[in-house]
Amino acid sequence: MHNYNILLEADKMPDMWYNIMPDMPVPMSPPLHPATHKPVSPDDLAALFPPGLIEQEASIQQFISIPGDIMDAYRLWRPTPLRRAFRLEKALNTPAKIFYKNESVSPSGSHKLNTSVAQAYYNKISGINELTTETGAGQWGTALSIACSMYNMKCTVYMVRVSFNQKPYRRGLMQTYGATVLPSPSDTTDFGKKILAEMPDTTGSLGIAISEAIEVAAKSGGSIKYSLGSVLNHVLLHQTIIGEEAKLQLESVGEYPDIVIGCVGGGSNFAGISFPFVHDKLKKGKDIDVIGVEPTACPTMTRGAYAYDFGDTAGMTPLLLQYTLGHNFVPPGIHAGGLRYHGLAAQVAHLLKHNVIRSVAVLQNPVFEANLLFAKCEGIIPAPESGHAVKVAIDEAIRCREAGQEKTILFNLSGHGHFDMTAYDAYLNGKLEDYELSDDILKQGLTCLPDIKA
Amino acid sequence: MHNYNILLEADKMPDMWYNIMPDMPVPMSPPLHPATHKPVSPDDLAALFPPGLIEQEASIQQFISIPGDIMDAYRLWRPTPLRRAFRLEKALNTPAKIFYKNESVSPSGSHKLNTSVAQAYYNKISGINELTTETGAGQWGTALSIACSMYNMKCTVYMVRVSFNQKPYRRGLMQTYGATVLPSPSDTTDFGKKILAEMPDTTGSLGIAISEAIEVAAKSGGSIKYSLGSVLNHVLLHQTIIGEEAKLQLESVGEYPDIVIGCVGGGSNFAGISFPFVHDKLKKGKDIDVIGVEPTACPTMTRGAYAYDFGDTAGMTPLLLQYTLGHNFVPPGIHAGGLRYHGLAAQVAHLLKHNVIRSVAVLQNPVFEANLLFAKCEGIIPAPESGHAVKVAIDEAIRCREAGQEKTILFNLSGHGHFDMTAYDAYLNGKLEDYELSDDILKQGLTCLPDIKA
C-alpha cells in the first residue's frame, strides 16, 4: 500500500504556535514609527490591532498557546493532509521523496484561514465587531470573510480594482460569506479619492488597498480594526501550525526533510511551512536547505534592497527592515496576485540576510508548466502562487535524479487555483507573458525609500 | 474539545464496494434492449463498456473487492472527512446532531471521482486508451478528465452547450487535465448534426450529450469506450465507499444515523451515502429514514411516471424501469445542473417504489438560503446540487427542534460550489427563479414513453 495521504488525528493537532523571535541568530532591528522613525511602541499599534495581537507581535515567547476557541475553529479543516507525491515522483523518475502539505482543503481554499480566524478571535474578545482589510487575488479577503462570519463580525474588503473587475467569482465568494467588497482605489477613503483624482484609470495595487483599509480603521475612533494577511510577526506565527503538523506527520512515517520550500509574497505561508524546521536548523544543527520562491516579475528577495521601508503605498504602516522593491513599485500583472508585493516580512528578510534560508526567482510560464504536470499527477490545480513552490520542488527533484540523491523534499501547497482558471486558460492558449525586469525599472522603484540607516 | 473533523486512517479505508442487488426486497425488472425490448445481455453492452464494468453491472455479489490500484488512487484524497456540524446545530438551536460527509475535498471537487478512477482503471486494463462522456454542470467531466490523466488515457467530453458557454472556467479545468471539451450538440456526431439542423439555437441537454458520446464509442470499432457518471449499477456501487466510510467514522464516535439524506440527479451520490445504511435497514431491521432530494424544477421522483424509459434523448441506451419525466423532457435552467436529468437509477427507483426510501422536492431559492447559512457556519460553499441535501438536513433539524427530538442526521456534501459562483451572485442579487412545473408540462414530457408493461 502506498500511503499517499498522511493524516493526523484531530487530538494530535499541535496546540501552540511557534514564534521564531527568541531563536533569531542575531537580534533584529526594530520596526520604526512612520513619522518619528523611533522604534514603534505597543501603543502606536493600538489604533489598528487588538491587545492579543500586539502582544504576539512583540512576543519573545518561543511557543504561544492556541486558545481553545481557535483550536475548535481550526478543527473545521485541520489537521490538513500531508501527501506523498508518489505519482509525481514516478513521472519525474526521481529518487527524491516529495511531500507536500495540502492547505488547499481549507474552506477558504488556502492557508490564509489559519491567521484570519485567530485575528478575528482576538479582535472579537477585545470587543471589536468590525474589521477592514485589503485583498489582491482574493485569497486573503476570502479567508477574513469566512472568519468574520464565524465570529459574527462585519468585514469590509478593499479589493485591488483590476482583480475586482477580473474576478467577479472571487468577489461573489466573499459576498456569500457576508463581506462588503469595494474596488480599490475607492471613493470611501481620503487616500482612495486622492489616487482616483490623480490616476482615474488606475488598476490599483495592494499597497494602495492597504492604505485605504488602514485609513478606515485609524479614523474609526477605535470601533473598527485593521487586519493584515501577511508580513507581521503575529501572522507568521499563526501559520506555523502548518509546519508543526507537517513535522508530526513526517515523523509518523519516519521522515525528515532535507529541503523545505514555500512561495513568498509577504512571507506568511513560507514562514508557516518552514519556521518549525528553521528552528531545528538554528537550535539543533539540522542541515536543511530552506528555499523561498518568488516570481521574477516581483523579485523582492533576489533583486530588492535590504532597507527600511513602508508596508503600504501611503506610508502609514511602521517602517520594517526588509527586502523591498520600494513601496511605490507596481509589479507587472502576473497571475500570482498574492506574490505581487513590494516588500517582505522582516523575520523572513532577517533570515535571508543571515543566510539561514535562500531565495529563488522563477518565470511565470515554467510555473504553469510545472502546475500542469502536478495537476495531472496529483489531481489538484495549484493556485498560481503555490505553483511557484511546485516548480522549485520539481526542479530540486530533477536535480536529485541527476545527482542520484534520495533527498526528502517538503513543500507547501498553500492553496488551490479554482478561482484562477483564466490564468490556466491563458497558459493553455500560449498567452502568458514572462517578465524579467530591467535594472532601470528596479532602480526607479527604490528611489522612494526613506533615508534610514539599516 | 469539539471533534468537528472525524477522520479515518488510510489503512482503515474500506476495500470493498457494496452492491445492493442481492439485498433487494423484491426482484428488479431487467434492463431491456432499446430495439428488441428483450432483456439486455452482457454482449449488448460490450460495445460501450469494458468487461470489468459489465460484470459489476450484472453482479449479484454483495461485496466487490476494490483493486489495489484503485485503492491507491482513492488514497489521493480518501478517506474523506466526516464532519459534525456543531456550528450549524448551534445556529439552528436544534437538539439534533448533524453529520456530513465532505466529498468536496476530492481533487475534482465532488464525489464523481470515486467512480471515474474505477471506470478509467477497468477500461485501461482491458486495453482501452480513450473514453468519451457527457457533462452538464461539469462535475462529471472534470472527474473523468482527472481519472484519464491519471491513467494516461485520452478523454473527450461532450458538454451541454449552455454550460459550455456559461462556464468557461469549468471547461478550462477539464482542458488543464488534458481533456478535449466539445459543446453539445456538436458537428462531430450524426445525432449532433441532426439536432443542430433541426434546432440551430438549442442550448443542448444532458440526454443529447449522452447520445453523442455513445455514438462516438459505438462507431469506434471498439477502440473508444463510453463512460457514464451516474444511473448504472456499477456507478452506484463505486460510490458506496462514501457511506461505508461514514459508517466507520460514525461508529468511531458512537453514533448511528436516524436520517440519511442525499440529493438525487441520476442517483449515484445518494446511493453512495445511503446504500450501506439501506443494507442495515433491509437486512438488520434498522429504523432509518432515507431521503432523496430533488429540485421541483425536475421532479423525477415526486411527480414522474414509474415506467420503462431510455437514459438518453436519441434512445440508444437500454430501457430501464425507473421514475422518469420522459427522455425528451428538458428541465428549466436551474443552477443545479447535475440534477437536471429526466430519469433515475433503476435501483433507486426500485427502493422508492417499494417504500424503502422516500423523496422530497425543494425550490431553488430556499436551497440557496440554506447554503448561505451552511457556508457561514461551516465555511464551505456547497455545490447547488449538494445544497438540496443541505436544505433538507436543515429542515429535518428544525423539525427535531420543534419536536424536541435528539435525532442523528447524516447527509452527503457531494461537492463544493467554487465553479457555481454565478448562481450565488444571482441569489444574492434576487435574480434566482423558482420553478413549479404545471401538470400539463409534465404530462407532455411523458408522451414519448415507449409502450412497455412495467
Side-chain angles (χ1 to χ4, degrees), chain A residues 4 72 76 83 177 379 418, chain B residues 4 72 76 83 177 379 418:
Chain A
Y4 288 99
D72 277 350
L76 278 169
R83 287 170 47 151
Y177 292 113
H418 293 169
Chain B
Y4 288 100
D72 277 351
L76 278 168
R83 287 169 51 150
Y177 292 113
H418 292 170

Side-chain angles (χ1 to χ4, degrees), chain B residues 260-321:
Chain B
V260 178
I261 302 165
C263 66
V264 179
S268 79
N269 108 77
F270 171 77
I273 188 79
S274 72
F275 278 11
F277 295 99
V278 170
H279 167 82
D280 293 357
K281 186 168 182 173
L282 292 171
K283 295 288 148 183
K284 299 178 184 172
K286 288 275 187 186
D287 179 21
I288 319 171
D289 187 12
V290 182
I291 310 171
V293 189
E294 65 184 9
T296 54
C298 190
T300 314
M301 297 183 295
T302 50
R303 298 175 72 192
Y306 188 65
Y308 267 107
D309 198 6
F310 299 105
D312 70 326
T313 302
M316 298 164 78
T317 69
L319 291 152
L320 298 175
L321 182 55

Side-chain angles (χ1 to χ4, degrees), chain A residues 16 40 44 83 121 133 253 299 301 306 366 382 386 403:
Chain A
M16 292 195 280
V40 164
D44 293 331
R83 287 170 47 151
Y121 168 81
T133 197
V253 291
M301 297 184 294
Y306 188 65
S386 321

